[in-house]
Amino acid sequence: MLKRIVPILRIFDENKAREFYLEYLGFQLDWEHRFEQDMPLYMQISLDSIVIHLSEHHGDCTPGAALRVETDNLDTFHGALRQKEYKNARPGIEETPWQSREMTVTDPFGNRIIFVETRAE
């Protein structure tokens, strides 16, 4: 049986990744791994039921991925991000023709996370 999907996103700078995902978006660090001290970082982060792996390993994935994350309260999450005054992002909420509201944030490595709230009809 299939259970869940865990996307892997490419990162290039550990400090920028921590600042964006942990401090700005509010994910928590679940674990991290390096084969040796000077080797690339691989880590798992989570927020509510969302789990993402971040990897500095060049063979794991390509930068520029896009993830869609469903949410029930986009306005609250958007407001929390706006209060943080992150210098590299000021996302807005877009009303789409396909009956959703979306907020896109792009990480320092070109990966996009689209937070989606579907309108009830």
Side-chain angles (χ1 to χ4, degrees):
M1 264 335 235
L2 303 177
K3 289 184 167 183
R4 66 179 179 158
I5 186 168
V6 179
I8 305 170
L9 299 178
R10 181 73 192 277
I11 61 171
F12 298 103
D13 182 302
E14 177 182 343
N15 292 329
K16 287 182 180 180
R18 289 179 191 279
E19 178 186 30
F20 180 79
Y21 285 100
L22 305 182
E23 295 173 26
Y24 178 55
L25 291 183
F27 280 78
Q28 71 176 22
L29 176 64
D30 297 330
W31 51 260
E32 57 185 46
H33 176 265
R34 294 179 199 274
F35 287 104
E36 294 180 20
Q37 186 171 353
D38 292 330
M39 297 292 288
L41 174 66
Y42 192 95
M43 65 176 149
Q44 177 176 298
I45 59 172
S46 62
L47 178 61
D48 297 333
S49 65
I50 304 303
V51 175
I52 299 174
H53 286 188
L54 303 176
S55 178
E56 288 183 319
H57 294 267
H58 72 275
D60 282 346
C61 46
T62 303
L67 306 178
R68 291 179 62 83
V69 176
E70 294 180 6
T71 180
D72 289 332
N73 197 336
L74 188 59
D75 290 319
T76 299
F77 189 53
H78 176 256
L81 294 183
R82 294 289 294 183
Q83 287 182 353
K84 293 182 181 183
E85 297 183 5
Y86 179 64
K87 64 183 177 182
N88 297 313
R90 294 280 195 274
I93 296 176
E94 175 188 1
E95 301 279 339
T96 69
W98 46 89
Q99 305 304 309
S100 69
R101 300 173 71 233
E102 301 183 359
M103 176 181 68
T104 300
V105 293
T106 303
D107 77 6
F109 319 105
N111 301 301
R112 290 178 299 132
I113 304 175
I114 305 153
F115 296 93
V116 180
E117 181 181 69
T118 305
R119 291 189 292 226
E121 294 191 34

